Amino acid sequence: MSREQEKPYTITRVLNHNVVLVEEPGSGQEIVLFGKGIGFGTKPGNTILPHDARVEKRFRLENENHQQQYRTLLSQVDPAVVGIAEEIIALIAKEITPHVNEHVHVALPDHIQFAMYRLRNGMEIVNPFLFEIQTLYSKEYALAKRAAEMIKSAFSLEIPESEIGFLALHIHSAVSYMPVSKAVQFTNIITELVGIIEERTGRSIERNTIDYVRLITHLRFACERIRQQKSIHNPLLDRLKETAPEAYAVAEELARHISKRLDMNVPEDEIGYMAMHVFRLTQQPCE
């Protein structure tokens, strides 16, 4: 072990019993350390060795803009909220991927603070995309439920399902490097596309059926491919145009809507796959 590695970190802030902010020796850069009991009984100015057995995770903000935003956050947000957010981020890194978008260190505590303010003041949190979020981001939603329990335990505050859905979007943003606003936009587009299908086919699609899950899952990945300009081949394209012209016409309208909302061209092969899903739905017997 080098001498530099042996030099202790200096604690600059104790966020809670499990999270501390430290200054790295030499560079003077701030690092977030997470570990069970790492902040218990400590205070700013105390030191901790880099190889301390309690250190489970460490996060360094590389982006200067994020560093500035984080410093501003620490002056405006309850340290206990920042601490629980860092515990949730550590959980994301452990359960889904260690490579999380560092902006989550700013976005998540800011969101939690505002959500807690609304809940404490009796302001209803409405999430019109809850079922879609549960379906499209099931892994993130499962983790968000655990995050909600952590928040409840730390602040004695009941977290409703609607807010768990928003926490899931922040988790998805952290692991996909997609801004929360984009994730919301995608989810909104998908619900709009379902509305178009229902209107054009004259059929109501039950939200708790396998057909709906299959449809919105396909639309999600189709939108992501279109956004990333990834190509996909549909060997049945010409046959679909001939045998399912009505379904293909609906799919063309879906494509126009996606193109308008994302400002991206929708390839014919994608239109063909959407037509297949529309056709499958129209072949189901009406209730």
Side-chain angles (χ1 to χ4, degrees):
M1 184 175 296
S2 69
R3 288 187 176 182
E4 198 63 42
Q5 288 176 310
E6 290 176 353
K7 288 182 179 179
Y9 294 130
T10 301
I11 296 174
T12 58
R13 193 158 191 164
V14 179
L15 299 178
N16 63 24
H17 287 174
N18 303 318
V19 183
V20 295
L21 197 63
V22 301
E23 184 178 286
E24 186 179 46
S27 71
Q29 191 171 5
E30 286 185 318
I31 298 175
V32 178
L33 298 183
F34 167 78
K36 196 74 172 175
I38 200 169
F40 183 74
T42 61
K43 59 184 179 180
N46 288 167
T47 59
I48 182 170
L49 292 171
H51 58 272
D52 189 301
R54 294 172 298 170
V55 178
E56 296 176 32
K57 299 283 182 184
R58 67 193 79 209
F59 302 107
R60 181 201 310 270
L61 295 180
E62 302 289 353
N63 184 289
E64 286 187 21
N65 188 39
H66 291 162
Q67 290 174 19
Q68 182 57 49
Q69 289 176 343
Y70 197 74
R71 283 191 286 270
T72 302
L73 180 86
L74 290 173
S75 68
Q76 297 176 345
V77 174
D78 181 352
V81 171
V82 179
I84 203 70
E86 291 295 348
E87 290 195 49
I88 293 168
I89 294 166
L91 184 64
I92 297 169
K94 179 183 178 184
E95 297 292 331
I96 300 182
T97 173
H99 307 294
V100 298
N101 185 346
E102 65 177 42
H103 183 62
V104 71
H105 294 277
V106 176
L108 185 58
D110 185 61
H111 171 80
I112 292 173
Q113 173 108 332
F114 187 51
M116 287 172 56
Y117 170 82
R118 286 181 291 173
L119 291 171
R120 283 171 172 165
N121 287 277
M123 299 166 67
E124 186 182 5
I125 296 177
V126 179
N127 191 332
F129 312 118
L130 183 60
F131 183 82
E132 285 75 17
I133 292 169
Q134 291 171 329
T135 304
L136 298 175
Y137 311 119
S138 57
K139 185 183 293 185
E140 291 91 332
Y141 189 83
L143 207 60
K145 288 175 71 174
R146 293 170 63 183
E149 285 299 317
M150 292 163 68
I151 296 169
K152 176 184 176 181
S153 177
F155 301 102
S156 301
L157 193 62
E158 200 68 42
I159 309 300
E161 270 200 326
S162 53
E163 171 53 25
I164 295 174
F166 286 121
L167 288 171
L169 286 178
H170 277 272
I171 293 172
H172 177 68
S173 174
V175 301
S176 69
Y177 285 69
M178 176 189 288
V180 173
S181 60
K182 275 288 182 188
V184 171
Q185 181 194 32
F186 265 42
T187 310
N188 190 27
I189 290 171
I190 289 165
T191 58
E192 291 168 353
L193 295 174
V194 172
I196 292 170
I197 293 171
E198 290 180 321
E199 183 180 341
R200 294 293 175 263
T201 62
R203 289 168 171 260
S204 178
I205 307 170
E206 289 296 324
R207 298 306 192 256
N208 59 350
T209 62
I210 188 65
D211 288 323
Y212 183 71
V213 171
R214 188 183 290 126
L215 174 64
I216 65 173
T217 300
H218 173 78
L219 291 174
R220 171 204 167 181
F221 287 114
C223 286
E224 288 185 0
R225 284 192 299 270
I226 293 162
R227 181 180 70 89
Q228 297 168 8
Q229 295 183 298
K230 289 184 176 179
S231 59
I232 184 172
H233 178 59
N234 189 334
L236 301 176
L237 182 62
D238 291 333
R239 186 179 174 190
L240 277 163
K241 290 180 181 179
E242 293 177 8
T243 60
E246 292 180 356
Y248 194 84
V250 174
E252 285 183 311
E253 185 169 346
L254 299 179
R256 285 193 293 272
H257 189 77
I258 294 171
S259 180
K260 181 179 177 182
R261 295 285 267 111
L262 295 181
D263 193 25
M264 303 285 290
N265 180 55
V266 179
E268 264 200 319
D269 292 285
E270 288 288 4
I271 297 174
Y273 278 114
M274 288 190 287
M276 288 171 64
H277 280 275
V278 173
F279 182 74
R280 182 186 290 121
L281 286 169
T282 59
Q283 299 311 296
Q284 301 293 330
C286 291
E287 294 296 329

